[in-house]
Amino acid sequence: MIRVLYFASLRERLDCDAESLDAAPSTVAALRRELATRGAPWAEVFASDQRVLAAVNQTMAGDDQVLTDGDEIGFFPPVTGG
Amino acid sequence: MIRVLYFASLRERLDCDAESLDAAPSTVAALRRELATRGAPWAEVFASDQRVLAAVNQTMAGDDQVLTDGDEIGFFPPVTGG
Amino acid sequence: MKVEIRVQANAFDPLAELVPVHAAGPQVGGVVSFVGLMRDLNQGDRVHSMTLEHYPGMTEKALAAIVDEAGQRWALDMVRVVHRVGEVLPQDPIVLVAVASAHRGEAFRACEFIIDYLKTRAPFWKREQTRDGSSRWVEARDSDDAAAAGWSNGAEATPSGSAEPTASGEQT
Amino acid sequence: MKVEIRVQANAFDPLAELVPVHAAGPQVGGVVSFVGLMRDLNQGDRVHSMTLEHYPGMTEKALAAIVDEAGQRWALDMVRVVHRVGEVLPQDPIVLVAVASAHRGEAFRACEFIIDYLKTRAPFWKREQTRDGSSRWVEARDSDDAAAAGWSNGAEATPSGSAEPTASGEQT
């Protein structure tokens, strides 16, 4: 099982702040592809031209990062703090 | 008449904080040469290899700055504030 | 290097936060601080308030990593970072970065490095409420990316990409 | 640009000085400040106290010219410079430079420019009293000249010459 969190504008567009998935896709990229198959609004949010950042276990992660059971994955737009 | 002020280590070495001179030398360089003719410690302080800064009327001035009657000239070592 | 990092919903007083940084010890020659304040104008609209969201846990971890990297690049005695979350009002302090060092150049470099990296790597997001009642997420700015990228080549000098005008009412 | 410049024999509280800079207005997005503190060590000797001499009249004029030049280079809302003269003790604040601007990059540039120029162009001189009872004038440092020279080519980026170690007990 993996835990997936959505923040800020993503959370609002997807109307979802967190969910658990039974099976962990192999990588962050695979997870993005899986989420994009859900149809609107997921397809738009996870379309390849969208800038959606990912973190794995609370550290910024690239698309090729391997996922393992128990991971926490966060998706969010570019940050605007400070 | 011109007014000449000495600051910090210069004031101490010359044992003089201010004086008035009746005739204004033509330039800052001419004033330096005139002061250097006074013998020790003046000659050493105003020797050409010493870094003595000058201000005319409270603005930093180069050696070629022309002096006129009534000017206030300050001589001092490199600054160390802040 | 003494470090304190806080992310909090309560308002903070940047001056009170500076007290321990100014008293960091007799070896400290200079303290450089940055305080980011909420501006009341964005893209021509009056901004009534702003809500800051963050990613609890990751935010603190990201800030600690940024401060740690600054401590590896420069000799620092104390670093303090405080960041508001939740609702903030115009002129409220949003962020404080304070750095104490023996030498001023290192304090300046480290302070600007931390705020530049915070703005591009720490998971905070701003949503602003304009005075006409509408609400929108603040867009990330290319100038912030440029400012952060300027540090990534290991250069000790600051990036020069952060001086262009911005239409954003968020503090800069 | 609102400017306040003070040279004073009395101690000052850098935090109190920052209050009006932080309240400079709703257009201000960032405040960058530098506080220079007296260190207690110079060239291996414990420094008991330091006496700051200045050139009354010229000092204020020089500081005004430096701040004016900063205001021409960058868009600033408020600048405050306070400098002690007379006797100061370890950990006493010697100088404060605070800059408020709409944009943080400009506030950082201006604040560092002002302190770099102050250290090479404003007529102040430090004499330090070591704990063994001797007394000496502090020597000007090449690194300060290098830092100031870095600004003279009109570059917007900061000079990188100010990070080398110093043996000086004066604040950096």
Side-chain angles (χ1 to χ4, degrees), chain D residues 129-151:
Chain D
Q129 291 82 40
T130 55
R131 290 207 185 159
D132 64 14
S134 69
S135 168
R136 63 188 171 201
W137 290 97
V138 171
E139 294 281 325
R141 295 188 313 183
D142 292 341
S143 63
D144 285 332
D145 286 337
W151 297 100

Side-chain angles (χ1 to χ4, degrees), chain A residues 31-56:
Chain A
L31 175 57
R32 286 178 192 262
R33 282 193 299 271
E34 180 177 316
L35 295 171
T37 64
R38 293 178 174 178
W42 299 81
E44 288 75 20
V45 165
F46 288 98
S48 57
D49 64 336
Q50 294 294 299
R51 198 160 165 226
V52 174
L53 305 180
V56 174

Side-chain angles (χ1 to χ4, degrees), chain C residues 73-74 103-110 112 150-151 153-159, chain D residues 109 112-113 116 142-153 155-165:
Chain C
R73 288 196 183 205
W74 299 284
H103 308 118
R104 76 179 185 281
E106 301 193 76
F108 270 107
R109 294 293 86 67
E112 192 166 12
W151 297 101
N153 54 4
E156 294 301 293
T158 56
Chain D
R109 294 293 86 67
E112 192 167 13
F113 170 89
D116 283 352
D142 292 341
S143 63
D144 285 332
D145 286 337
W151 297 100
S152 62
N153 55 3
E156 294 301 295
T158 55
S160 55
S162 49
E164 81 274 30

Side-chain angles (χ1 to χ4, degrees), chain B residues 28-29 31-32 46 51-56 58-63 65 73-77, chain D residues 55 58:
Chain B
V28 169
L31 175 57
R32 286 179 191 262
F46 288 99
R51 200 163 163 221
V52 174
L53 305 180
V56 174
Q58 306 189 346
T59 300
M60 290 283 194
D63 268 3
Q65 173 135 355
I73 297 95
F75 285 113
F76 42 80
Chain D
Y55 182 166
M58 180 176 168

Side-chain angles (χ1 to χ4, degrees), chain C residues 1 4 30 43 46 62 67 72 75 99 103 115 118 123-124 129-130 135 137 145:
Chain C
M1 179 173 72
E4 179 164 335
Q43 298 172 354
R46 289 278 168 189
V67 170
Q72 286 174 30
V99 176
H103 308 118
I115 184 65
L118 183 156
F124 293 102
Q129 291 81 40
T130 54
S135 169
W137 290 97
D145 286 336

Side-chain angles (χ1 to χ4, degrees), chain B residues 15 25-26 32-33 36 41 43 45 47 59-61 65-66 72 80:
Chain B
D15 195 22
S26 56
R32 286 179 191 262
R33 282 193 300 271
V45 166
T59 300
M60 290 283 194
Q65 173 135 355
V66 171
E72 173 183 301
T80 56

Side-chain angles (χ1 to χ4, degrees), chain C residues 48-64:
Chain C
H48 172 265
S49 64
M50 194 178 263
T51 306
L52 273 146
E53 180 174 334
H54 76 304
Y55 183 164
M58 179 176 171
T59 306
E60 292 80 357
K61 212 169 150 176
L63 293 175

